[in-house]
Amino acid sequence: MPSFFNGIFGHKPSKNVVSNKGQYPIPNNAEQNSFLGIGPMCRRAEDLLPLLKIITAKNAEVLKLDDPVDIKQLKFYYQEHDTGGKCVSAVNPEIKQLLRKLVYHLEKNAKIKPQKVEMKSFARSNAIWIGNMTNGGPRFQEQLSNLQGNISIWFEFLKWFLRLSDHTFIGLCTALVEKMGPEYNSEKHLFWVQQRDEFRRDLIDLLGDDGVFLYPTHPTPAPYHNEPLFKPFNFSYTSIINVLGFPATHCPMGLSSDGLPIGIQVISNHQNDRYCLAVARYIEKAFGGWVPPDIEG
């Protein structure tokens, strides 16, 4: 999301290939550790690979980052929207058009025939994300108190409106959403874990060992400051990939008619990060990649 909002390239690596040591909040267990991912962000697609090799350290060999990739040997799949997720904005027509332009370019110039799919599980992205955030460790409201007890969420909201709180509005909203989520190991929690695992298997079966998936990074052009407060669940287009543990690369593809960054993400199977990076380089060469914003006055 930061890469999308700033119109630059960014890569979210496969789960567990980049160490989270030193990151805060500290992951409480192996599952939460897999949700937290550190990756490179940069203006040029070609810079993603060397940066990823540095931060993955020994795991660079696991990802086979030095292996050459011929994108003509890859299978391409794409989906234009999440098929109707609740509380999520409809995908902007300009972003849909980007996907169609990319598909057309692949067909005409690379002789690749991307396959359009409609995985309806994407409509449950937010529910799967919320249902899997419960992990048995300290909750977010405890993290906000530096693990010194719990903050009073509603009291902190009151303080925020009076500009007296030490916490951001979105931070408090995150704590509230988590508090409303299912209890760890409850029937509802285990149900959403099962939904996640089934979705993961479906995507693994689709991608195989030679597939990439093209999908919007965000349903709207980069939002203005504070706009996400009114559209808090639009992050589902990236959060679901995080929960599933797949690598994904955001690829900027210019600016919208309003001069705001737009682009798409490239997703591959676990530990096939090199495919995402290779397609990102192709997209940059074909469509220009990062574009400096217009500055008036």
Side-chain angles (χ1 to χ4, degrees):
M1 284 176 64
S3 302
F4 174 83
F5 291 172
N6 288 280
I8 59 176
F9 287 89
H11 181 70
K12 200 286 293 183
S14 295
K15 65 178 183 179
N16 299 326
V17 298
V18 177
S19 172
N20 284 314
K21 184 178 181 181
Q23 177 171 287
Y24 186 86
I26 300 169
N28 299 303
N29 52 41
E31 187 173 71
Q32 189 182 66
N33 189 66
S34 74
F35 294 163
L36 298 173
I38 301 170
M41 298 189 295
C42 46
R43 290 182 179 177
R44 307 298 179 193
E46 64 184 355
D47 294 328
L48 291 172
L49 180 60
L51 288 170
L52 186 60
K53 288 175 69 174
I54 292 170
I55 64 175
T56 52
K58 295 179 180 179
N59 283 332
E61 297 179 4
V62 175
L63 298 182
K64 302 178 182 178
L65 293 178
D66 287 324
D67 286 9
V69 177
D70 181 358
I71 70 161
K72 293 183 179 181
Q73 301 302 314
L74 299 178
K75 295 177 182 177
F76 282 75
Y77 305 91
Y78 72 100
Q79 185 164 320
E80 295 181 353
H81 51 76
D82 66 0
T83 73
K86 295 181 179 179
C87 304
V88 180
S89 297
V91 175
N92 182 278
E94 292 184 75
I95 294 176
K96 287 186 178 181
Q97 188 61 29
L98 282 183
L99 263 174
R100 293 166 187 167
K101 286 173 61 178
L102 177 54
V103 168
Y104 177 76
H105 190 279
L106 288 166
E107 291 176 343
K108 183 177 180 180
N109 295 283
K111 309 305 178 187
I112 296 170
K113 180 66 175 178
Q115 179 182 338
K116 188 175 184 179
V117 298
E118 191 172 276
M119 302 187 76
K120 294 188 179 298
S121 293
F122 276 111
R124 301 194 297 274
S125 293
N126 277 318
I128 293 173
W129 181 83
I130 293 171
N132 281 271
M133 285 301 100
T134 302
N135 54 68
R139 287 184 171 269
F140 193 63
Q141 66 185 97
E142 296 175 70
Q143 298 284 3
L144 292 179
S145 71
N146 292 321
L147 301 182
Q148 302 297 314
N150 279 308
I151 65 165
S152 172
I153 299 177
W154 293 113
F155 183 56
E156 288 297 331
F157 271 123
L158 176 61
K159 289 169 63 178
W160 184 86
F161 282 110
L162 297 174
R163 298 189 177 185
L164 297 175
S165 178
D166 293 328
H167 309 293
T168 65
F169 184 79
I170 195 64
L172 296 175
C173 289
T174 302
L176 182 62
V177 169
E178 185 190 49
K179 186 178 179 67
M180 295 168 61
E183 292 293 326
Y184 183 67
N185 268 341
S186 66
E187 185 177 344
K188 184 176 286 188
H189 170 243
L190 295 176
F191 170 79
W192 288 115
V193 169
Q194 181 184 15
Q195 292 295 301
R196 177 202 69 195
D197 292 344
E198 290 179 3
F199 191 7
R200 180 184 289 153
R201 285 193 292 270
D202 289 343
L203 203 49
I204 287 173
D205 290 343
L206 176 72
L207 294 171
D209 196 44
D210 59 355
V212 292
F213 187 76
L214 308 176
Y215 190 58
T217 309
H218 198 261
T220 69
Y224 290 100
H225 189 59
N226 286 329
E227 186 180 340
L229 296 177
F230 304 98
K231 302 173 182 177
F233 294 107
N234 281 352
F235 74 101
S236 64
Y237 277 77
T238 49
S239 66
I240 186 61
I241 307 305
N242 218 44
V243 168
L244 296 176
F246 293 105
T249 302
H250 169 66
C251 304
M253 295 177 67
L255 305 176
S256 70
S257 56
D258 292 326
L260 300 170
I262 50 179
I264 59 109
Q265 60 178 320
V266 182
I267 302 156
S268 66
N269 214 334
H270 184 55
Q271 296 187 351
N272 281 343
D273 299 52
R274 64 190 184 280
Y275 296 166
C276 296
L277 303 183
V279 175
R281 292 192 295 271
Y282 179 87
I283 292 175
E284 181 181 43
K285 185 176 181 180
F287 295 93
W290 174 75
V291 177
D294 292 330
I295 300 176
E296 297 180 0

